[in-house]
């Protein structure tokens, strides 16, 4: 059972932005519950007919996962074996990461899977049933000149038939294979849940180097396609996405926490007022930012995303106001304020009116992010044991704890559909790494398996 969120010792200074300021289901629709079927014709036999198995996913919590078999990808007609390896590894890792499936170990297959074809008539479904599979993914790659013919198929084992998906086989460039495999996985998830998966989306994050610098990166949510944004030797932090894939971040490159933006491969400075220019949040062409305007105190402003000029001051209080985050319809903003003596989550209208306190438990609640579904705000909070964990609060102030007894957990960010959260955790004693969990916290999975020093992930949406 998760502990309640209890108050801690009072603190007047809080921080995330360079340790100076405040941080800067899957509504697990239980698997299949409410699930919709793929709209393709001829597939009605699969609808709502899979029970899956229950596994322990977090403490004593249990949820149902579908046993899925993913045999080796077959390389045909001289196709590069490395591409076949890429396909099967992506299928296995990302189906496992999705949180809906239990990918069966390959060594549990007691027969030679290479003797089977990829058509239903060529598959011995009894063998797959005997290894415990309910779903089966077959895959081939075939060389066609300098292109790759990619064929991916989902089968219902107990029904002995191929499942129709919102995806079709295609011939494409080798560079596009990873993207297309993820599109197939999203279609598989849509078949079982009624909503496509998140693969193909990106996150921005910061990562410390051994020299003490901190850089901004962007990568696909499955860890592929890592791209470094900053090339200086400074502290760069608090990345967030803007329109068209732009990435805002704060950098100490010029000895002041200035706001920079990365657009189309080019980096430029957008706001460089003396003091804080941090925690940018974009919505509907508006850009909210924390500014201190040369003093010690900070407030939330709207600035122009084109030239950085101040459009409107939204908060005006003696206490620190930081970390703005927009509601999905851009009508309201949540932020962190110390006006009650501790760091708490507040909400206000987009013009700064009707400011009200939302959290009353704990004394150090930071790094809020509004759910794309509009109903909750997720944040980092320090509990009575001085441990940091992830919480969610609805707009009536009801708080739910999402992590506990798994190290310190910080800086949550919602997936575009609000069903998942990416966050930082130091659990496992290997430094700060990025983790993924369902929005109810039941399913949690390590995202960055190599290295450490990962922080401040922001999911693009």
């Amino acid at each position: 059972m998760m502990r309640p969120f209890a108050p801690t010792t009072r603190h007047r200074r809080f921080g995330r932005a360079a340790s100076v300021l405040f941080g800067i289901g899957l509504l697990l629709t239980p698997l299949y519950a409410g699930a919709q079927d793929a709209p393709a014709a001829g597939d009605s036999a699969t609808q709502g007919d899979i029970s899956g198995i229950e596994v322990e996913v977090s403490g004593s919590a249990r949820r149902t996962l579908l046993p899925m078999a993913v045999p080796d990808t077959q390389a045909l007609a001289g196709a590069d074996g490395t591409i076949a390896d890429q396909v099967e590894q992506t299928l296995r890792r990302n189906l496992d990461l999705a949180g809906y499936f239990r990918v069966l170990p390959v060594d549990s297959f007691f027969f030679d899977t290479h003797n089977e074809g990829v058509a239903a008539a060529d598959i011995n479904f009894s063998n797959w049933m005997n290894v415990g599979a309910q779903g089966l993914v077959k895959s081939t790659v075939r060389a066609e000149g300098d292109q790759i013919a990619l064929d991916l198929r989902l089968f219902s084992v107990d029904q002995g038939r191929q499942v129709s998906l919102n995806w079709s086989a295609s011939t494409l460039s080798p560079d596009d294979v990873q993207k297309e495999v993820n599109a197939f996985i999203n279609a598989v998830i849509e078949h079982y849940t009624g909503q496509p998966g998140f693969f193909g989306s990106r996150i921005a994050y910061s990562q410390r180097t051994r020299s003490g610098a901190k850089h901004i990166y962007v990568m696909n949510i499955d860890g592929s396609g890592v791209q470094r944004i900053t090339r200086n030797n400074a502290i760069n932090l608090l990345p967030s996405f803007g329109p068209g894939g732009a990435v805002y971040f704060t950098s100490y490159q010029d000895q002041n926490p200035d706001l920079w933006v990365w657009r189309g491969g080019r980096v430029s400075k957008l706001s460089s007022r003396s003091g804080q220019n941090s925690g940018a949040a974009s919505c509907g062409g508006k850009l909210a930012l924390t500014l201190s305007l040369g003093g010690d105190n900070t407030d939330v402003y709207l600035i122009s995303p084109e030239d950085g000029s101040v459009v409107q001051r939204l908060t005006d209080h003696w206490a620190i106001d930081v970390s703005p985050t927009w509601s999905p319809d851009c009508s309201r903003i949540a932020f962190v304020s110390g006006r009650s003596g501790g760091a708490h989550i507040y909400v206000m209208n987009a013009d700064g009116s009707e400011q009200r306190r939302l959290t009353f438990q704990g004394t150090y609640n930071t790094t809020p992010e509004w759910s794309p579904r509009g109903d909750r705000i997720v944040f980092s909070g320090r509990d009575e044991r001085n441990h940091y964990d992830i919480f969610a609060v609805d707009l009536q102030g009801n708080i739910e704890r999402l992590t506990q007894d798994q190290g310190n957990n910080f800086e949550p960010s919602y997936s575009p559909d609000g069903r998942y959260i990416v966050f930082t955790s130091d659990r496992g004693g290997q430094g700060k790494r990025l983790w993924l969990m369902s929005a109810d916290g039941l399913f949690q999975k390590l995202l960055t398996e190599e290295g450490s020093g990962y922080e401040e992930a922001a999911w693009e949406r």
Side-chain angles (χ1 to χ4, degrees):
M1 176 179 293
M2 288 194 173
R3 295 183 179 85
F5 191 27
T8 63
T9 306
R10 178 174 176 171
H11 292 262
R12 294 185 180 277
R13 289 288 179 182
F14 347 85
R16 171 178 164 190
S19 299
V20 176
L21 304 175
F22 298 150
I24 84 150
L26 264 355
L27 269 184
L28 277 188
T29 320
L31 190 58
Y32 313 122
Q36 302 174 19
D37 299 284
D43 195 30
S44 58
T46 67
Q47 298 182 1
D49 196 28
I50 304 174
S51 57
I53 59 174
E54 281 196 345
V55 299
E56 188 170 299
V57 293
S58 177
S60 59
R62 301 184 71 80
R63 64 178 302 199
T64 303
L65 301 179
L66 176 78
M68 181 73 77
V70 186
D72 294 344
T73 299
Q74 299 179 36
L76 307 176
D80 188 344
T82 59
I83 294 179
D85 292 343
Q86 176 191 3
V87 170
E88 67 194 33
Q89 290 170 12
T90 301
L91 287 169
R92 290 167 184 159
R93 169 172 164 74
N94 290 356
L95 284 169
D96 179 66
L97 193 61
Y100 291 107
F101 311 105
R102 175 174 173 263
V103 178
L104 300 176
V106 175
D107 59 11
S108 69
F109 306 157
F110 60 87
F111 53 95
D112 189 350
T113 62
H114 299 88
N115 291 333
E116 283 192 342
V118 295
D122 301 324
I123 297 174
N124 186 334
F125 287 102
S126 294
N127 281 344
W128 291 110
M129 189 170 294
N130 286 332
V131 301
Q134 292 189 4
L136 169 66
V137 171
K138 288 277 194 173
S139 55
T140 65
V141 292
R142 182 189 304 273
E144 292 189 1
D146 59 353
Q147 300 284 293
I148 296 295
L150 177 67
D151 189 1
L152 307 171
R153 305 185 186 193
L154 173 67
F155 295 90
S156 170
V157 172
D158 57 347
Q159 297 179 2
R161 59 181 295 166
Q162 184 176 348
V163 175
S164 296
L165 300 174
N166 287 328
W167 184 91
S168 58
S170 61
T171 300
L172 65 169
S173 163
D175 293 338
D176 293 330
V177 168
Q178 178 93 9
K179 178 181 177 182
E180 201 58 29
V181 173
N182 281 330
F184 170 80
I185 294 172
N186 288 341
V188 171
I189 294 171
E190 183 179 17
H191 168 72
Y192 289 116
T193 71
Q195 298 184 60
F198 54 75
F199 295 101
S201 60
R202 302 187 303 168
I203 59 171
Y205 61 95
S206 64
Q207 186 174 19
R208 287 193 177 276
T209 68
R210 293 181 178 179
S211 67
K214 193 173 182 180
H215 290 295
I216 306 298
Y217 296 84
V218 171
M219 70 176 182
N220 298 324
I221 190 60
D222 63 358
S224 64
V226 176
Q227 183 175 11
R228 181 172 163 179
I229 301 301
T230 54
R231 297 287 174 182
N232 56 42
N233 194 33
I235 299 293
N236 306 280
L237 68 167
L238 298 174
S240 65
F241 280 99
V247 176
Y248 298 104
F249 61 95
T250 296
S251 176
Y252 284 79
Q253 175 178 335
D254 295 331
Q255 290 74 53
N256 187 69
D258 300 324
L259 180 68
W260 293 69
V261 59
W262 177 80
R263 290 191 183 101
R266 300 187 62 182
V267 172
S268 60
K269 190 183 292 186
L270 184 59
S271 178
S272 57
R273 296 169 178 84
S274 177
Q276 290 293 324
N277 303 260
S278 58
S282 174
C283 188
K286 299 178 180 178
L287 187 61
L289 186 68
T290 299
L291 295 173
S292 56
L293 294 181
D296 292 332
N297 193 29
T298 56
D299 279 294
V300 178
Y301 292 76
L302 291 182
I303 69 168
S304 166
E306 284 76 34
D307 60 16
S309 60
V310 171
V311 175
Q312 185 180 0
R313 182 173 186 165
L314 300 181
T315 67
D316 186 0
H317 198 277
W318 58 265
I320 291 174
D321 295 330
V322 295
S323 302
T325 175
W326 291 90
S327 64
D329 63 358
C330 308
S331 67
R332 288 177 289 177
I333 293 174
F335 61 102
V336 179
S337 179
R339 62 188 66 181
S340 63
H344 278 285
I345 310 300
Y346 286 70
V347 294
M348 62 182 170
N349 292 333
D351 62 1
S353 64
E354 297 188 22
Q355 297 178 14
R356 67 180 177 92
R357 181 175 170 181
L358 192 58
T359 61
F360 291 86
Q361 294 172 269
T363 58
Y364 196 75
N365 302 328
T366 63
T367 63
E369 182 167 283
W370 211 307
S371 167
R373 300 188 174 195
D375 57 341
R376 305 206 301 178
I377 295 166
V378 68
F379 63 94
S380 309
R382 187 170 56 203
D383 69 10
E384 70 280 5
R385 300 171 299 160
N386 286 328
H387 289 174
Y388 289 88
D389 273 307
I390 309 264
F391 301 83
V393 59
D394 65 22
L395 299 185
Q396 289 71 50
N398 301 305
I399 292 179
E400 178 185 5
R401 187 170 198 149
L402 302 181
T403 61
Q404 181 176 292
D405 295 334
Q406 295 168 305
N408 292 292
N409 304 282
F410 321 86
E411 302 155 353
S413 179
Y414 275 109
S415 63
D417 62 6
R419 292 193 294 169
Y420 295 83
I421 296 169
V422 63
F423 63 100
T424 301
S425 180
D426 64 3
R427 66 184 70 176
Q430 298 184 45
K432 292 181 178 178
R433 298 181 291 175
L434 299 183
W435 285 71
L436 182 74
M437 67 176 168
S438 54
D440 59 8
L442 288 181
F443 174 81
Q444 300 186 18
K445 199 79 175 179
L446 177 63
L447 196 59
T448 52
E449 296 178 345
E450 298 181 0
S452 63
Y454 296 90
E455 296 178 278
E456 304 169 333
W459 211 319
E460 184 178 21
R461 60 174 193 261

